[in-house]
Amino acid sequence: MANVAERNHYVRPVLDEGERIEIKKGRHPVVEKLLPPDQPFIENDLTLCNSDTQIMIITGPNMSGKSTYLRQAGLIVLLAQIGSYVPAGKAHIGIVDRIFTRVGASDNLAFGESTFMVEMLEAANILNNATPQSLILLDEVGRGTSTFDGLSIAWAISEYLHHNKKVAAKTLFATHYHELTELALLYPRIKNFRVAVQEYQDHVVFLRKIEPGGMDNSYGIYVAQMAGLPGQVIERAREVLFNLEANELSPNKVPRLAKRRAGSRADTNQLSIFDFAKPSEVEEELKKIDLNQLTPIEALLKLKELKEKLTSG
Ligand SMILES: Nc1ncnc2c1ncn2[C@@H]1O[C@H](COP(=O)(O)OP(=O)(O)OP(=O)(O)O)[C@@H](O)[C@H]1O
Ligand SMILES: [Mg+2]
């Protein structure tokens, strides 16, 4: 440990039994080693305190460094408590009794548990066992199910951790649900943080700096494009996103995802699949007519009758 600390410029943390964790210029001990030489690791501060900043809601684009920030906090606390120096400029660690994590999807399909089930089992374990002395790292809880279900669960978990004295642990919660930033308006010990980015012409620069505030853009499509998804998919995704963000809900409150930007016919004029399946009254009548039995004058009268049916109904 002394060797590692010396080589990697770790510092000696101050430990006490207080309720505060304060890290200045913290680094992730592994990620900082893996970055290419021309890409420096960006240091970040962290202040958690039960009576003030108990829960940090961290929003920010994909690839911005949220997960790294969470894990680095957990690792620094762990290193401090096993007697090591830590990768930071300065660290004051109020000793924790446990570090709970809910990070990434770990499937357990062979044992009859789905991705989402595992996620919920882990969340349940945390909520049933955490204490005010614990540190909880929640990385995107709720992503394994539908947006509304997931968001509701994430919201309720945050409230539970905030309100319930027995489990009011220091918590870092990274999320793409920007709706969760509203929690900070309601509750005194929930604070919003975001990972800064800079939009530059048509691309995004990841600054990887954690700062106070919320963020409501995930730049997910931009990251998908960087990853090499076909241009057609990217373009279509942008269209669907545009519809979603315009909050275009159909009368029964279902987003009109399928709508294309050009030729936006009103929903009521659109023939649904069921309309096609069920023939109209006029179509039924037409089917019944025996052309061989019809005189020209009867045909004309029938035509008039059908036309009237269409225009009146
Ligand atoms: N502080 C940092 N300094 C430099 N590079 C970083 C830093 N934090 C993260 N990175 C780089 O960015 C990559 C993505 O980070 P990370 O996985 O934490 O993003 P994320 O915000 O959790 O993304 P997602 O929303 O997709 O989960 C890391 O693999 C690492 O290479
Ligand atoms: Mg992440």
Side-chain angles (χ1 to χ4, degrees), residues 31 35 39-44 60-69 72 139-140 176 208:
V31 175
L35 288 176
Q39 215 182 308
F41 189 89
I42 310 297
E43 301 162 332
N44 271 304
N62 290 108
M63 279 291 290
S64 60
K66 299 182 296 299
S67 300
T68 307
Y69 183 70
Q72 126 188 356
D139 201 349
E140 312 211 16
H176 285 289
R208 309 222 144 88

Side-chain angles (χ1 to χ4, degrees), residues 8 15 58 76 81 89 99 152 158 161 212 217 237 242 249 285 302:
N8 300 300
L15 283 110
I58 303 162
I76 289 175
Q81 291 196 202
I99 301 173
S152 313
S158 311
L161 289 171
N217 196 339
F242 178 86
L249 301 176
E285 288 250 31
K302 194 77 200 167

